[in-house]
Amino acid sequence: MRKERELLRRVMEISGQNLYSCYQCGKCSAGCPSVDFMDFTPREIIRAILDDHEEVLHSQTPWICAACFTCTIRCPNEIDISRIMEALRQIRLRKMHDGIHPSKIPVDELLELPQIALISCFRKMTG
Amino acid sequence: MKEIAYFPGCTHLHTASHFERSALSVFEALGWRLVEKFNWICCGTVHGLSTDNLMQNVSAVRNLARAESAGARRIVTNCAMCYNTLKQANEMVKRDEDALKNLNEFMDDEPDYRGGVEVLHSLQLLREIGLDEIEKRVVKPLEGLRVAPYYGCLLLRPREVAIDNPERPKIMDEVLKAIGAEIVRDARLKYCCGSYHTVDRKEIVLSRIDEIISAVRRRGADLIAVACPLCEFNLDKRQKFLNKGGLPVLYFTQLIALAFGKEEDCLFEKHHVDPRPLLKERGLLR
Amino acid sequence: MPEELIGVFICHCGNNIAGEVDIQKVKETINSWPGVIAEDYVFLCSEAGQEMIKRAIEEKKLSKVVIAACSPSHHSQVFRECIGEKLNPFLWEFINIREQCSWVHKGEDATKKAIALIRGGVEKARLLKPVESINVPIHKDVLVIGGGIAGMQASLELASKGYRVYLVEREPSIGGKMVKLDKTFPTDDCSMCTISPKLSEIAQNKNITLLTYSEVDEIEGRPGEYKVRIRKKPRYVDESLCTGCGLCAKSNYKKLIVPEGYELVDRIKIEREKCVNCELCVKLCNEFGYGALQNGDDCPKYDTLKCVGCFECVKKCPKEAIEITNVCPVRVASEFNEGLGARGAIYVPFPQAVPSTHLRDPENCLRLNGKMPECRGCFSVCEANAIVDDDEDEIIELTVGAIVIATGYELRDMSESEYNVEHPNVITALQLERLLSSQGPTGGKVVRPSDGRIPKSITFIQCVGSRDLRYNPYCSKICCMYALKQARLIKQEHPEVEVRICYMDIRASGRWYEEYYKSTRELGIDFIRGNVAEVIDDGEDLIVKVEDTLEGEIKELHSELVVLSVSMNPSDGTLEIAKKLGLKSGEDGFIDPLHPKIEPVDTLQEGIYIAGTCSGPKPIQESIAEANATASRVSTFLKDDLMSVPLTTGVIDPSICILCKTCLEICSFDAVREENGELKVEEISCHSCGKCSVYCPSNAMTLRGLTDEQIEAQIRGILAEDPDSIIAFCCQHCSYNAADLAGLSKKKYSSKIKIIRVPCSGRVSINHILVAFKFGARGVMVTGCKEGECHYIDGNLSAKEKILKLKKLLDLCGIGAHRVEMFNMSSSEAQKWVECVNEFERRCS
């Protein structure tokens, strides 16, 4: 038998957020500046986690999220959605699935990019 | 001369040296010296958001511990990213005793951090110094210059670290108004610039900055003012991929320095979209 | 002294108590105590149970009674009346073995605790003394605070029952929010048409004294006799002379948005076609020394800044070419029209206002604020000579028997939120009502405030500030229905306008509501299920960002007008009166009824009743139903001429009183008086909180209803049966009820906790606590209301102070400061109660 809602349990544990309090209003998705690049809107991600759909782990959405906290400050249920995205990234990263390979960044870009861009990118997207 | 402990952050030594130079010059003109009082290291750039991984907050808290042991009660930084990371970590350890205890134990080579440091962004320090004081130092008011103050994410969000109302920020508007600029407002000035995706998914950044720049252009902005080296990089340097004619992007401190008559501290040449033709045309630069 | 016999009656409460507590064992134990006899019954509160008690008192010649049953907040009235038939109604004690025992503890623990609690009750009962009652008069007049629809209806209903009603309203007219509405759901009938007959009925009803533009400054006294001080604000127009003709308010101002502050406009207009440029007006104006009219090329030139409004030019013009356009040149945003459109500095809020007396706004009137002392526009046109400069606050003092609170709601301030309310074309639903209303600033045309044009697209946003933890966690109940109504009215009038409603759930529960929703949908209104993230300024237009959650698509709705269904908050008046009267309110600020289900219009204080939205969001029909219910409750309360008040009050033994006057100083109700060199408690003023008896250094002050000896006996009794207990003193207003609520929700905690009910945490003295330790208590908790919420003003603060002092003493004598603690909570905080007792129990073990 499948372990009941293992994904949901992990996400709630790592993010510290109670996903059950989500009433699926979509405020997070509507305000997200990068939602056009996402395959699932943040609201859909939460719904899928609640339903324990492991596929969300392969969604692009958490990797597109740059933790701008727009959803976090607007959630009417005070769910910190940035932390949910972080939890999804962490679950993947802890299994050695990095979102970026630093060696593949062209050298001229490396010379030009500010340090904070590189470091924040590596911190968010590598394990 | 008043003094305050200063956290420059990595970019100030490199790509954002014009931010630092103009900021130090502005504060000096206002009677404040920003002093590097402790052996600072990288802030960590992003606040760790998982409950079970304190490692991501070590570098921020290490800086706070060093600042505290150097006797600093307040530290100021210009970089919005450093501000956000240090401030979020500071709020977290003040809230969570266990986390602080763990971090202190982990950093056994440092003196214990006790939560006694306040983290400020330079805009907050300017507000504290007062708009009147800023106005008094102006020798070349930026009259007729239509500036769009870009706040981005990290000065406003999450709520517990916001330096102003996160939906209707005014702090940079007021400072720029005090030096005579005309303010252009738009909702997108608090939108994300795409942040670190400039490294791995440039297309996100280009779509973000296109929306932001187009919006303020429609409102007749002459230039954008920023408070973060990554925002500056994305909004200015990345414009070269937009091919839509350049809109200058300057640090707010450069604009104040210009108004204070300190052109030499502005280093306008460091921008991709050269602001000098515009400033010359407006008679603000020889 | 004859042998006393105390009867203990144990209730099974079906299985509620008997399911956990071994009744037989309890009974046997009690029967082993000297002078006590125990009986049990399945439902003591039943008719048969009560008969059994009465029979036992008679047959066994019981002198005192102990009832061990549910919580006194349930049935104390029942048993008081039952026992009162045979004994003095204070010769019995109520012990709670349900909420605070069988519902929260199991089996043996529950049985042991029940025995201890009953022993405490028995020991206390041994010392009970009869308490006499006095009869005090009930005044028959009623004060109704708030003149919205609820207050109006309550007043009319009470007046028709023959009561004299004083209706106090802080605004210049009665009518509240309802007079601002266009039509009302679900019937779409005109709001003004339904309310205006009531407005005039109130104006004419001889039993109603209407006090508008008035504030309730002070209320003191007791149920049946409240002394009220009302301050009537000056109108600067004589109410007895003003006919409400409206000449002074004449204006041709049409703008929807008044510039910030006020705008100065022309008082007169010269018609060029009629004017022959005779210059008579110029001559007159210059003769008077104003010079507001000067010679011009083909007609005189006018300067409103110099004109004082004598209107001599108008009267004397031989060609009648000069017309008055604005009697008062000052235009300020109209409060009645929710900031859309203007009023003068002299005005009446709306044409049907009651009273119709106009008023001058001293802040903006040029004559009153000193900006133009010689201004006299309104004086010049008033035929009744009603305008006065010397006017001041009038103080009115009343005595009433009962008070109805109908202070209503207001919309939550959403400025600086994601909804961009600062934009002129983002309006509240209440502003839209004013635009829809044929009496409104546009005569019923729905236009954009920025340019007065009919919008091509309108987006309604629901739950603005409601169901949102950042603002109001609750649902405002009426917004779905009024938004449906507004959308439908617009769509019916302008089918070409694109009307959308962004909603999360449409809550249309009520008779005819779902049908109303369905027929509204069918008009072709676009329902988008999603919570709006942001309203973006796009010049004059707006972009509404929302996820259509049914489609999973992000939409940017281009909108020419945005209407916000803004959440309802308690009004300032509601917050103020609740504070003034010490009424219980929730965290949301709405006033709590005595019971949310079965006593919806009573408050915790007898004699004070509520109606309408001061106790939570509700539609008009519910407010009216409540108002009628309230009137009925008031008349029930007022039916007798006298009410019996038991003298559970403080009493001073003059033979040991040292006249230190501590009691006189600390009494929050000024109930202690000095008379002929003696201190006396004025019984009617005393609230029986007992703070004085705690502070009295010579023990001269005793609380008749609860003496020190009785409290100490109860402590001793409990500890005699279970010495290892933690004594928890609980205030009857808050923590006692929180513990009951914990029982009701079956939240378990340690049976070591033994509650002693006190009127106020301020009743607990250091000595009581020391007695507990002396007889073996493991710890002592004192629990009271939250700071600032004490029902006796500051009893909880005095308790806190005592505990702090006592902690030092306990450390000194080796017991340890940690064994005593003060906790503050409200009556609804059951979880907090459990957390507090758990924490304290851990600390003491």
Side-chain angles (χ1 to χ4, degrees), chain C residues 140-158:
Chain C
K140 299 292 175 181
D141 297 351
V142 184
L143 172 70
V144 176
I145 306 173
I149 185 60
M152 285 169 55
Q153 183 66 27
S155 300
L156 285 170
E157 192 62 20
L158 284 163

Side-chain angles (χ1 to χ4, degrees), chain A residues 36-69:
Chain A
D36 290 349
F37 291 89
M38 294 174 173
D39 46 1
F40 294 99
T41 69
R43 176 191 60 83
E44 289 168 334
I45 292 281
I46 294 176
R47 183 65 228 158
I49 300 169
L50 281 166
D51 223 8
D52 221 35
H53 283 307
E54 298 265 348
E55 301 86 86
V56 291
L57 290 175
H58 305 284
S59 160
Q60 281 303 302
T61 299
W63 303 101
I64 302 293
C65 165
C68 77
F69 304 108

Side-chain angles (χ1 to χ4, degrees), chain B residues 54-97:
Chain B
L54 285 176
M55 277 311 286
Q56 292 210 341
N57 302 312
V58 171
S59 47
V61 178
R62 193 184 291 281
N63 279 304
L64 295 170
R66 289 182 183 178
E68 190 175 57
S69 71
R73 301 293 303 270
R74 310 200 300 168
I75 58 174
V76 69
T77 177
N78 297 314
C79 170
M81 214 155 183
C82 299
Y83 163 77
N84 191 281
T85 313
L86 294 171
K87 175 90 176 174
Q88 283 211 62
N90 203 19
E91 294 302 306
M92 189 266 291
V93 297
K94 280 187 196 168
R95 211 172 38 229
D96 186 346
E97 269 176 49

Side-chain angles (χ1 to χ4, degrees), chain C residues 13-31:
Chain C
C13 194
N15 234 356
N16 278 307
I17 293 170
E20 295 294 344
V21 174
D22 180 344
I23 303 280
Q24 206 47 42
K25 188 174 173 196
V26 173
K27 212 170 139 183
E28 279 165 20
T29 313
I30 295 172
N31 280 328

Side-chain angles (χ1 to χ4, degrees), chain C residues 181-307:
Chain C
L181 308 183
D182 175 39
K183 295 188 169 66
T184 52
F185 63 83
T187 44
D188 285 355
D189 49 358
C190 152
S191 182
M192 191 52 99
C193 312
T194 43
I195 196 174
S196 68
K198 288 183 192 289
L199 290 171
S200 45
E201 219 180 310
I202 286 187
Q204 285 155 24
N205 194 308
K206 289 192 178 61
N207 279 344
I208 299 177
T209 304
L210 185 55
L211 300 166
T212 53
Y213 211 41
S214 300
E215 304 274 348
V216 175
D217 271 359
E218 266 173 44
I219 299 180
E220 29 181 68
R222 55 157 178 94
E225 189 181 80
Y226 292 102
K227 305 246 186 251
V228 187
R229 217 173 89 110
I230 291 163
R231 186 167 46 83
K232 210 166 183 304
K233 295 176 276 192
R235 286 181 182 254
Y236 302 99
V237 173
D238 189 328
E239 236 173 304
S240 62
L241 297 175
C242 175
T243 61
C245 71
L247 279 179
C248 56
K250 185 182 178 189
S251 167
N252 70 347
Y253 192 85
K254 290 278 183 288
K255 275 191 232 171
L256 271 186
I257 299 173
V258 183
E260 217 179 299
Y262 67 94
E263 188 179 8
L264 217 52
V265 295
D266 288 355
R267 300 183 204 238
I268 55 162
K269 196 178 129 204
I270 305 171
E271 285 183 52
R272 283 164 182 269
E273 302 84 68
K274 289 188 188 165
C275 177
V276 293
N277 212 6
C278 68
E279 293 175 0
L280 175 64
C281 55
V282 177
K283 191 165 153 257
L284 276 171
C285 198
N286 282 327
E287 263 175 31
F288 291 130
Y290 304 127
L293 287 163
Q294 295 295 337
N295 293 338
D297 290 342
D298 43 2
C299 93
K301 283 188 289 199
Y302 171 70
D303 181 359
T304 197
L305 291 174
K306 290 185 179 155
C307 175

Side-chain angles (χ1 to χ4, degrees), chain C residues 774-831:
Chain C
K774 185 174 160 197
F775 288 89
R778 205 198 278 188
V780 177
M781 302 169 68
V782 179
T783 57
C785 297
K786 290 184 165 176
E787 288 185 16
E789 292 177 11
C790 176
H791 291 246
Y792 307 100
I793 319 284
D794 60 359
N796 53 354
L797 297 179
S798 82
K800 177 183 167 187
E801 196 187 308
K802 272 176 297 196
I803 303 265
L804 284 176
K805 281 186 195 152
L806 181 61
K807 274 177 170 288
K808 287 186 193 145
L809 186 66
L810 290 183
D811 260 343
L812 278 177
C813 62
I815 295 173
H818 65 287
R819 289 186 188 273
V820 65
E821 197 60 80
M822 172 94 196
F823 296 93
N824 302 79
M825 66 191 75
S826 76
S827 59
S828 58
E829 292 183 312
Q831 187 56 35

Side-chain angles (χ1 to χ4, degrees), chain B residues 188 191 206-216, chain C residues 545:
Chain B
R188 287 98 174 164
Y191 284 14
L206 297 184
S207 125
R208 305 292 336 118
I209 67 168
D210 190 18
E211 183 182 349
I212 296 160
I213 292 171
S214 311
V216 299
Chain C
K545 284 180 92 169

